[in-house]
Amino acid sequence: MFTSTTGTQLHKIAVLITIAMFFPVLLMLLNPAIQTGTSPESIRYALMDKSGLQIHTNTVNPGIHTLAADSENSLVIRINVTDGNGTSVSGAAVKLEASGPTGMSEGTLKPSDGFTDGSGSFISVYTPPDYLKADSGEFDAFAANADYVLITSRLSGMDKSSSIRIGLISAPVVFVHGYQATPDIFSGISEYLKLQGYKPMAISYPSRNGVAAAASALSGYLKEKAAELRNSGIQIKRFDLIAHSMGGLVARYYTCSSEYAARGDVRKLIFISVPQKGSPFASLGIQYYNDESMKDLVPGGSLYSSVFPSMINAGLNPSIQTGNLLGRFDEVVGTESASLAEWKIETEIFEVGKSNFTVDKLLNGELLQATNHKLVLYNKKVYERIQQMLKTDIPYPVSK
C-alpha cells in the first residue's frame, strides 16, 4: 500500500533543505569571525554572548621584557580569551600586530591571526629585526629613550584589545683582547660605542695559557653572560665579537669547536690586526715569553698546520658574518699574515701610524712593544667602520 506525500509535507521538506544549505552562510554573514573557520568551537563562539569577553596578551616566559635585535632571537607570545566569569573561550578569532617608534623595523609575528584552541589560547612567535635604526643602548624595556615593540592582540570584529611592550636592544658586543693585554686596551672603542647606544662588555682571561685554554674561557664567559642577561629579563641568542690580535685566534677556535656548534651563540666576528697565519716575531718573542700562547703564534706551528685545518671549515666558521681590519705598518701582523683571502674575506687596511721598523729594535726586542699594533684600537675611522659593520650585514666566509 503506498502513502502519498501531501503538498504541505513537501513544502516542509523543502524549507528544511534550504535552511541546511544556507545556515553556514547565514552565520558567516552575521559574524565575520567565522568566515575562515567553521569548526564547532567557531560556531559556538559566533552564537555566544560576547559582551563580557576579555583578551590577554603575555609572553610564554613572563620574566622576559627585553629582546636583542636578532632574527634568530624569537619570543613566544600567548593570547588568552576569557568570558565574564574568567572561563577560557575556545574558537575566538584573534588578530595580532607589532608596532614601534616611527621609522623602526618592528619585526614579524607568525601567525598573525587565527582562533583560540580548546584551552582558550592562541600562540604566535615574534621575531625581532636584525638591526635597530636608532640604538638606545638601554637594557630597560621601560626607559623613555629605549627602542621597543608594542605587540597588540584584538578580538576580531570587536573593540577589545590587549598589548604588551617589549624592549629592543642591539645584539651584545663582546671584546676579546690579545696576548698580554687586558680589557682596558678597548677603552677607546668601548667609549665610542657607548656613545652610539651600545653597551659593550669584555672578557678578561690569562693570555699565556694558549689559544685552546682561552677559547674555553670565552665559551664559559658567553654562556655566563647570556644567563645573567636572561635572569635580568633580557633574552639574547647571539653575541657580536670584536677581537684584537691573539684574541681573534681565540674567537676562531671557539666558533669552530664542537661546543660552539651546540650553542651557535655568535652572530659576527670582527677581527682587528689578527695574526691569522701566525706572527713572524713570535719566534723572537719566545726568547722573552716562552709560554703556550707564544708557541701558538709561531707561523707553521700546530695551531695553523693541524688544529685549525681539522676544525669547522678549516678554522673559520661559514655561518658567522666576518670582518677583517688591519693597521698599516703593524709590527706584529703583516698583510699576508692577516689575510683571510682563502675564505673570500677582504682585509681592510687603515692608516694609523708610520713604519718604525729598525734592525736595532728587532734585535733588542723593543719592536715587541708594537706601538702600531695597539694604535689601531685608537683610531676614529676604525671605530666608524666597526660601528657600520655592527649595524649592517657583512660577508660570510666561503665554505672550503
Side-chain angles (χ1 to χ4, degrees):
M1 181 174 181
F2 296 98
T3 302
S4 63
T5 303
T6 67
T8 301
Q9 290 175 320
L10 288 174
H11 177 72
K12 289 181 179 179
I13 293 171
V15 169
L16 291 173
I17 292 174
T18 301
I19 292 174
M21 290 176 60
F22 290 100
F23 183 69
V25 176
L26 179 61
L27 283 178
M28 289 190 288
L29 290 174
L30 291 173
N31 194 324
I34 64 169
Q35 289 183 10
T36 55
T38 56
S39 65
E41 292 83 359
S42 297
I43 294 173
R44 282 196 296 269
Y45 174 73
L47 297 175
M48 72 181 295
D49 177 12
K50 303 178 185 62
S51 59
L53 293 187
Q54 297 292 325
I55 186 167
H56 315 275
T57 308
N58 295 287
T59 59
V60 168
N61 183 342
I64 298 300
H65 58 68
T66 301
L67 287 181
D70 179 353
S71 57
E72 290 195 8
N73 189 35
S74 297
L75 184 68
V76 181
I77 306 296
R78 176 183 284 120
I79 312 303
N80 291 102
V81 177
T82 58
D83 62 19
N85 297 318
T87 303
S88 297
V89 176
S90 60
V94 299
K95 291 186 177 181
L96 287 82
E97 63 180 16
S99 59
T102 303
M104 197 196 82
S105 298
E106 292 86 7
T108 60
L109 281 161
K110 292 185 178 180
S112 59
D113 60 74
F115 300 88
T116 54
D117 61 18
S119 64
S121 297
F122 176 78
I123 299 296
S124 180
V125 176
Y126 172 71
T127 301
D130 277 308
Y131 307 104
L132 303 180
K133 291 186 178 179
D135 296 312
S136 68
E138 290 287 347
F139 276 18
D140 180 356
F142 304 101
N145 64 335
D147 281 322
Y148 66 89
V149 61
L150 196 67
I151 298 175
T152 302
S153 61
R154 304 179 188 279
L155 280 168
S156 296
M158 300 182 65
D159 187 24
K160 292 189 176 182
S161 64
S162 170
S163 299
I164 55 170
R165 173 172 162 152
I166 302 296
L168 294 175
I169 61 169
S170 294
V173 174
V174 173
F175 295 117
V176 187
H177 66 74
Y179 183 70
Q180 286 203 335
T182 69
D184 291 340
I185 200 169
F186 295 109
S187 60
I189 178 62
S190 180
E191 287 303 313
Y192 177 84
L193 289 180
K194 286 178 183 177
L195 290 175
Q196 308 308 312
Y198 294 85
K199 191 173 181 180
M201 55 194 80
I203 180 176
S204 178
Y205 65 93
S207 64
R208 294 188 175 187
N209 296 339
V211 169
S216 179
L218 177 60
S219 172
Y221 179 86
L222 297 181
K223 185 176 182 180
E224 176 185 344
K225 287 301 175 182
E228 285 181 6
L229 291 171
R230 178 175 285 275
N231 289 339
S232 66
I234 302 163
Q235 177 179 300
I236 70 124
K237 171 63 177 177
R238 298 180 295 181
F239 296 87
D240 290 340
L241 303 186
I242 299 175
H244 176 247
S245 194
M246 190 190 87
L249 304 179
V250 174
R252 282 180 60 186
Y253 192 105
Y254 167 61
T255 55
C256 289
S257 66
S258 57
E259 187 173 7
Y260 171 81
R263 298 218 311 257
D265 56 359
V266 175
R267 181 177 68 163
K268 295 188 180 190
L269 268 177
I270 299 176
F271 297 119
I272 307 175
S273 295
V274 174
Q276 310 287 7
K277 298 178 177 65
S279 171
F281 294 106
S283 298
L284 175 64
I286 286 178
Q287 300 177 33
Y288 301 89
Y289 313 108
N290 187 16
D291 54 45
E292 290 303 313
S293 291
M294 191 58 68
K295 294 174 185 177
D296 282 339
L297 294 171
V298 174
S302 61
L303 181 68
Y304 305 101
S305 63
S306 60
V307 177
F308 277 151
S310 68
M311 301 181 86
I312 294 171
N313 201 36
L316 193 62
N317 197 310
S319 67
I320 300 175
Q321 297 179 42
T322 302
N324 197 31
L325 312 181
L326 176 67
R328 197 181 299 278
F329 305 125
D330 189 299
E331 307 92 340
V332 175
V333 184
T335 54
E336 180 59 31
S337 175
S339 175
L340 295 172
E342 58 265 52
W343 291 279
K344 306 298 182 185
I345 298 297
E346 175 189 0
T347 302
E348 301 181 35
I349 299 178
F350 291 80
E351 303 291 341
V352 297
K354 60 182 180 179
S355 176
N356 60 5
F357 178 86
T358 66
V359 173
D360 287 342
K361 288 182 178 180
L362 173 63
L363 294 176
N364 65 22
E366 184 180 341
L367 203 62
L368 292 175
Q369 300 304 314
T371 301
N372 288 337
H373 186 60
K374 300 172 184 176
L375 194 61
V376 70
L377 294 174
Y378 298 92
N379 182 277
K380 187 176 180 181
K381 289 186 177 179
V382 173
Y383 297 171
E384 292 171 344
R385 180 58 180 138
I386 288 174
Q387 184 193 6
Q388 185 180 29
M389 287 179 162
L390 291 173
K391 291 180 67 69
T392 58
D393 287 343
I394 55 178
Y396 291 91
V398 299
S399 296
K400 295 183 66 175

